[in-house]
Amino acid sequence: MFVSDCLQINEKGHLTVGGCDTVELAETFGTPAYVMDETTIRENCRAYKRSFEQYYGGNGLALFASKALNCLEICRIVKEEGLGLDVVSGGELYTALKAGFPAEKIHFHGNNKTRDEIKMALESKVGRIVLDNLYELTAVDELAASMGIKASVSMRIKPGIDAHTHSFIRTGQIDSKFGFALETGEAMEAVKQVIACRNIELEELHCHIGSQIFDMDPFVHAAEVMMDFIGDIRKQTGVTVECLNLGGGFGIQYTQDDNPQSYDRYMEKVSKAVKAKAEQLELPVPFIYLEPGRSVVGEAGITLYTVGGIKEIPNVRTYVSIDGGMTDNPRYALYKSGYTCVVANKAGLPAAKEVTVAGKCCESGDLIQENTKIQSPEIGDILAVLSTGAYNYSMASNYNRIPKPPIVLVKEGKAREIVRRQTYEDLIRNDI
Ligand code: LLP
């Protein structure tokens, strides 16, 4: 019935997550609140590790894309599970380092890294800086020279692949702000410039074709295109790039309409394609990195709200207003993303009432879901929105000076806060 295995209904007819009654969680921690199931996160990390072992002789590493959810405790969990980390800003890097994440397992991304961020990445000795453009190349080369070190870099390549997903989260095609284009020869020219830099070692190529993708073919195709490029680089320069980073993008289940495939199937297909290309091009089988974000934390999270007003507009629709909205989950406002909503204290009853779930911001577009079926709602009910573990907390804002909700981590019936709810005092902390 539900989109995630960590969700059940208990004898009171309440929704549970990670063995905790969501109605009790709402009482204890207040609403709105993000709730994350630790077991699911750990299990997802392990699934990536297992599939690398099963299909690729363990010759790879999953880097958790921390833009999906970054806070100290999540970094600690990912570290304990042995994954690496993808960060895209000084702030994400700072959090990871504060959590004790090993710098050598961090890859630093971003399409417009500032000089300060590059300096911070080099000084903290991150494992790799992923170059997006030639301006960064100059900055990395100069800074590495001034520090007397050699920077280990990757290069973000646009493989020219159009993944079937929302245009805002599609990134592999030529019209994208990310990376160097293959088709135009820009990527090869840039590779030659990188190789010529004395303070830089080109150790990896990277691509990421988009996010929330279900179709396997674009992933396999991207892997093949990247292997061909590694072959071309060797032909033209004599340099063999030994690591290939295939990015993230695996889709998850938000509603019953979503049908994600297992990572195993992905790994099986992609490893086969990469090994076949390596043989055909007489290249060494590369070390592979993946960068899953959404698929590690998405289904592990739900958000709990309290229902405030209910507005029935005859022959139009029924608005159910909650005590959060686009400030804690901007994804419907941005992408019209599908979500499953459940009245947590009536989870055992049929979802028979069609409603529009609205947030509390002064903005008509502040909706969580339109025309969705939930259990007949009443004021004071607890509304759970499922699969909110990725790109919710990390994209939250303080619009309308609404404090950000806490993150509650649950595991086998126990719950603890890992991020505190913002207070009004927090909101004015930097005001002068
Ligand atoms: N690697 C790179 C270079 C990326 O840009 C991304 C996501 C990932 C990995 C992780 O992709 P994932 O496995 O999570 O699909 N805010 C949007 C998603 C933006 C994704 C940005 N890049 C959303 O809420 O759907």
Side-chain angles (χ1 to χ4, degrees), residues 65 67-68 86 109 156 169 206 208 210-212 247-250 291-295 331 335 391 395:
K67 72 207 78 180
D86 145 9
H109 273 281
R156 179 151 182 175
I169 51 177
H206 171 278
H208 168 78
S211 198
Q212 186 60 1
F250 317 108
E291 288 170 340
R294 191 189 313 267
S295 53
R331 297 193 67 258
Y335 323 116
Y391 303 112
M395 293 174 77

